[in-house]
Amino acid sequence: MSESPTHSSLENGAVPGEPVKTDKNSRRGNWGNQIEFILTSVGYAVGLGNVWRFPYLCYRNGGGAFMFPYFIMLVFCGIPLFFLELSFGQFASQGCLGVWRISPMFKGVGYGMMVVSTYIGIYYNVVICIAFYYFFSSMTNLLPWTYCNNPWNTPTCNGVVTPTGINNTLANVTRSLVTGAAEVAVEVVNKTKRTSPSEEYWKHYVLKISDDIGNFGEVRLPILGCLAVSWVVVFLCLIRGVKSSGKVVYFTATFPYVVLTILFIRGITLEGAVTGIKYYLTPQWHKILDAKVWGDAASQIFYSLGCAWGGLITMASYNKFHNNCYRDSIIISITNCATSVYAGFVIFSILGFMAHHLNVDVSEVADHGPGLAFVAYPEALTLLPISPLWSLLFFFMLILLGLGTQFCLLETLVTAIVDEIGTDWIIRNKTVVTGGVAIVGFLLGVPLTTQAGIYWLLLMDNYAASFSLVIISCIMCICIMYVYGHKKYFKDVEMMLGFPPPIFFRVCWRFVSPIIISFILIFTVIQYKPITYNDYVYPGWSLAIGFLMAMSSVTCIPIYALYKISKSEGTTFLERLKNSCKADIKWGPALSEHRIGHYAAPVSEAEVEVRPLKEELKEKEDEKRDEISLTIQGSNGSTAHNTTPSA
């Protein structure tokens, strides 16, 4: 009789204050608490793109007017897809490979997610290592990219700050810039090919950039050293899986907001900051009718939330079965988008200040991607009093934003490997797998630390995780809603959460989100332009490699589908196809106490507890004879709960 309240509480959600041991997956592990999961997911979704891509897209697509399609896409595409992936991973307590027991033929989608996460994990850590490099370089009394009097500077270098002791003419130019005297400022700005000291520091000193993507040159040892530091930090934070990373995110996921707030307060107190913020927010309503604006809004929501990377499924798989992932998906999605908007204020207040000093329009100093993080913003920092302090804070924030995403990328790969092999040895020695993945990731990142590394980094950024993500996400929606069946999935979610998905999400999952995803794909293809880096045009062979990277994740889907069909039972192709689409006998909740209703019957097989049929029938007869009044709701007469009395 004492077992009933525990089971009841498990079916309807854990009772506050009541210890419920059976809701924990002791073999695989769970988050210490829900705050750890939310912070980790926020750290995963909130990355470098929030700082260097969203503000740029916002002012390029109509300023404040861009916010309207952005939030529309958040509501109809972002949050529903986020909820779908969280519920998918949490229900099965499996990573991006194990969840495809739902329809084994589509397991190639999981492999595709792993390929994407591998590509992103390789180049993302290189970006973090460059942020480490700038962070260490900022530990000085004078930022090394402040002046044009360094050995790596060229005659075209023109800084906004002039060192004392330089001739009066240059001093007057600087003074005129600072005071905003138009005639001298225009003269400086109109100089052909003005290059800033921060740009030359980035190109000629940090990267020593080569003239072609095929000309690798030498490995930049300082960057290689920082790359090793990045991977060591990531490995140490994941050394015990979610148990260690869950503790680290208390700092890595929250401190960037402290830094953003400090930089925001400093930024809005600068002269010209209001101009920058106005440029960022001023609505250009006529642009709302432009399909490109809606396409950019949908793409930014989709990519910034980390959909189809496999990370959301992986993080949710460590939740307890009855966790309210519906609530979590709304909190995390809105936090991600609010961070993007907030970061825009920080960035454009500084860029407005910089434009004021140079007496140019904000658009001439605004940039996105590495150009904003490692050229425009560092130059602006040289204008601030105690510039090394602000530089340290800014690059520390970039490091933490990057690490939050990198933790989940690595955990996605490790979890997929461990879940797929699934032996007790590999579960006990998960640290060895984590170390192995980190070492391989470091070695694959070495080419990106060469003099041609920045070309390869941008190639991977533009192709490895572009339209392939959209295809993966679309196929995932189709598989769950139409192959497995929307009614079945809605019942699964209801069994897990205690309530069915709201009708809005049901409509979005079945119709709206797939349509928007298809729109993103079409828009991505129509808008495609060959990648360039400043004036450098990528050769055709490098673009072919980019397309191969993009297709390598997508081709996993048909290749595995054909393999699964060939291995399935059946005499005809249609029979094999039908059998390969059927949910695996192991599909469903991981713990036997959660396998109720139609999941209860095959528990004995899933847990490899095979008993003679006579013994099972005898137990059922004994139950009827003894007229036990206590029944467990939803078990449909199955004795699966009696096979584990210790529960």
Side-chain angles (χ1 to χ4, degrees):
M1 295 291 287
S2 62
E3 198 175 340
S4 177
T6 306
H7 269 281
S8 176
S9 66
L10 280 172
E11 288 173 15
N12 300 302
V15 177
E18 182 181 342
V20 184
K21 293 182 180 178
T22 47
D23 203 22
K24 290 185 179 179
N25 193 329
S26 56
R27 185 169 186 263
R28 192 170 180 274
N30 290 112
W31 295 106
N33 54 59
Q34 277 320 106
I35 295 175
E36 290 181 10
F37 166 67
I38 290 174
L39 288 178
T40 302
S41 300
V42 166
Y44 173 64
V46 176
L48 298 171
N50 297 72
V51 172
W52 75 28
R53 181 166 168 79
F54 173 80
Y56 172 80
L57 283 177
C58 198
Y59 88 76
R60 192 182 77 176
N61 288 299
F66 179 71
M67 303 286 187
F68 179 72
Y70 182 73
F71 286 112
I72 290 287
M73 292 300 176
L74 170 67
V75 171
F76 288 98
C77 183
I79 296 176
L81 284 177
F82 208 91
F83 180 27
L84 180 65
E85 289 202 30
L86 291 190
S87 60
F88 193 24
Q90 183 175 305
F91 183 78
S93 297
Q94 290 286 314
C96 63
L97 290 181
V99 289
W100 294 102
R101 292 170 180 170
I102 193 172
S103 185
M105 189 183 88
F106 289 89
K107 193 175 182 178
V109 175
Y111 284 112
M113 289 177 172
M114 282 188 69
V115 172
V116 168
S117 289
T118 301
Y119 286 138
I120 298 172
I122 291 167
Y123 79 77
Y124 215 81
N125 229 17
V126 175
V127 177
I128 297 171
C129 90
I130 296 173
F132 265 115
Y133 184 90
Y134 270 80
F135 178 76
F136 295 138
S137 299
S138 302
M139 295 178 179
T140 176
N141 292 327
L142 179 69
L143 294 176
W145 56 85
T146 305
Y147 301 133
C148 287
N149 58 349
N150 301 291
W152 58 83
N153 291 128
T154 66
T156 58
C157 180
N158 241 310
V160 292
V161 180
T162 305
T164 55
I166 283 228
N167 64 59
N168 289 333
T169 307
L170 284 176
N172 287 335
V173 171
T174 303
R175 198 174 301 114
S176 300
L177 281 170
V178 175
T179 56
E183 62 277 1
V184 184
V186 169
E187 180 185 343
V188 172
V189 170
N190 288 340
K191 282 188 177 182
T192 57
K193 292 185 179 180
R194 172 198 177 264
T195 54
S196 65
S198 62
E199 184 179 353
E200 296 201 345
Y201 179 78
W202 163 247
K203 282 185 178 179
H204 304 317
Y205 185 76
V206 178
L207 301 178
K208 285 192 178 176
I209 191 168
S210 66
D211 58 352
D212 185 71
I213 188 171
N215 181 14
F216 284 92
E218 64 179 12
V219 171
R220 297 289 296 120
L221 291 178
I223 298 179
L224 184 66
C226 289
L227 182 63
V229 170
S230 300
W231 276 110
V232 168
V233 169
V234 172
F235 169 70
L236 292 176
C237 292
L238 289 172
I239 198 164
R240 295 180 62 228
V242 294
K243 289 181 180 177
S244 55
S245 67
K247 303 297 182 286
V248 174
V249 292
Y250 280 104
F251 179 74
T252 59
T254 56
F255 197 73
Y257 291 97
V258 176
V259 178
L260 272 175
T261 303
I262 293 170
L263 291 173
F264 173 70
I265 294 169
R266 183 69 189 104
I268 59 174
T269 58
L270 295 169
E271 199 173 0
V274 175
T275 307
I277 291 172
K278 277 184 181 176
Y279 193 92
Y280 169 51
L281 290 180
T282 302
Q284 300 170 35
W285 293 112
H286 64 279
K287 288 198 174 183
I288 281 191
L289 300 176
D290 190 350
K292 183 176 178 297
V293 174
W294 288 83
D296 276 350
S299 300
Q300 177 62 12
I301 283 290
F302 184 84
Y303 295 126
S304 70
L305 286 174
C307 297
W309 291 16
L312 298 177
I313 293 173
T314 302
M315 295 303 104
S317 72
Y318 291 104
N319 278 332
K320 292 178 182 177
F321 184 72
H322 291 290
N323 170 62
N324 190 346
C325 57
Y326 165 65
R327 171 203 62 204
D328 295 344
S329 61
I330 293 174
I331 292 172
I332 297 162
S333 301
I334 292 176
T335 301
N336 174 67
C337 296
T339 304
S340 296
V341 176
Y342 187 37
F345 283 97
V346 178
I347 297 298
F348 273 87
S349 63
I350 300 290
L351 293 179
F353 167 64
M354 190 175 171
H356 174 77
H357 264 267
L358 291 171
N359 198 30
V360 296
D361 193 71
V362 179
S363 62
E364 294 188 39
V365 292
D367 202 350
H368 73 106
L372 174 64
F374 301 118
V375 177
Y377 209 93
E379 183 176 14
L381 293 171
T382 62
L383 297 167
L384 299 175
I386 326 174
S387 53
L389 171 64
W390 305 112
S391 185
L392 282 168
L393 283 173
F394 177 72
F395 289 110
F396 189 52
M397 177 187 71
L398 287 189
I399 290 167
L400 294 181
L401 286 173
L403 286 176
T405 302
Q406 190 68 13
F407 290 159
C408 297
L409 289 169
L410 188 62
E411 186 63 42
T412 298
L413 298 174
V414 172
T415 298
I417 294 167
V418 171
D419 284 351
E420 186 67 5
I421 298 172
T423 62
D424 288 333
W425 184 90
I426 202 165
I427 289 173
R428 285 196 308 270
N429 294 277
K430 189 177 176 182
T431 303
V432 176
V433 180
T434 307
V437 172
I439 290 169
V440 171
F442 168 73
L443 294 175
L444 291 174
V446 170
L448 301 184
T449 65
T450 62
Q451 290 177 265
I454 189 66
Y455 298 123
W456 289 100
L457 190 151
L458 291 172
L459 187 74
M460 293 179 77
D461 184 39
N462 279 270
Y463 288 93
S466 55
F467 65 86
S468 54
L469 286 177
V470 186
I471 295 170
I472 287 170
S473 190
C474 192
I475 293 175
M476 183 180 70
C477 276
I478 291 168
C479 172
I480 297 173
M481 291 295 111
Y482 297 101
V483 178
Y484 176 66
H486 63 277
K487 290 181 180 177
K488 285 188 200 172
Y489 193 73
F490 297 159
K491 286 180 181 177
D492 289 345
V493 173
E494 183 174 7
M495 185 176 90
M496 178 173 66
L497 300 182
F499 58 88
I503 189 167
F504 171 78
F505 287 91
R506 283 180 270 167
V507 172
C508 284
W509 286 346
R510 292 185 64 197
F511 308 111
V512 181
S513 296
I515 290 170
I516 292 176
I517 295 169
S518 302
F519 165 68
I520 297 172
L521 179 60
I522 295 166
F523 172 77
T524 305
V525 173
I526 291 173
Q527 198 193 22
Y528 170 75
K529 290 179 183 176
I531 180 178
T532 59
Y533 177 58
N534 294 335
D535 297 329
Y536 177 75
V537 179
Y538 280 68
W541 62 266
S542 64
L543 297 180
I545 291 174
F547 276 110
L548 285 174
M549 281 194 289
M551 293 306 297
S552 62
S553 54
V554 176
T555 50
C556 292
I557 302 170
I559 289 171
Y560 188 86
L562 291 172
Y563 165 77
K564 192 65 185 175
I565 291 169
S566 69
K567 293 290 183 181
S568 296
E569 295 178 355
T571 53
T572 66
F573 177 79
L574 285 176
E575 284 179 3
R576 288 170 180 261
L577 178 65
K578 187 177 179 182
N579 288 329
S580 65
C581 289
K582 277 183 185 175
D584 190 275
I585 196 170
K586 293 182 181 179
W587 163 250
L591 300 181
S592 57
E593 50 265 41
H594 297 144
R595 296 184 75 99
I596 58 176
H598 65 282
Y599 290 108
V603 166
S604 56
E605 294 180 52
E607 299 295 322
V608 201
E609 294 175 4
V610 182
R611 296 177 303 161
L613 181 61
K614 288 181 181 179
E615 184 183 334
E616 202 167 319
L617 292 171
K618 185 182 176 183
E619 283 188 16
K620 288 183 179 180
E621 288 173 7
D622 289 342
E623 281 185 2
K624 290 178 183 177
R625 193 181 303 114
D626 294 338
E627 296 181 349
I628 298 174
S629 59
L630 176 62
T631 58
I632 298 175
Q633 183 181 0
S635 63
N636 293 337
S638 168
T639 60
H641 57 281
N642 289 328
T643 64
T644 53
S646 60

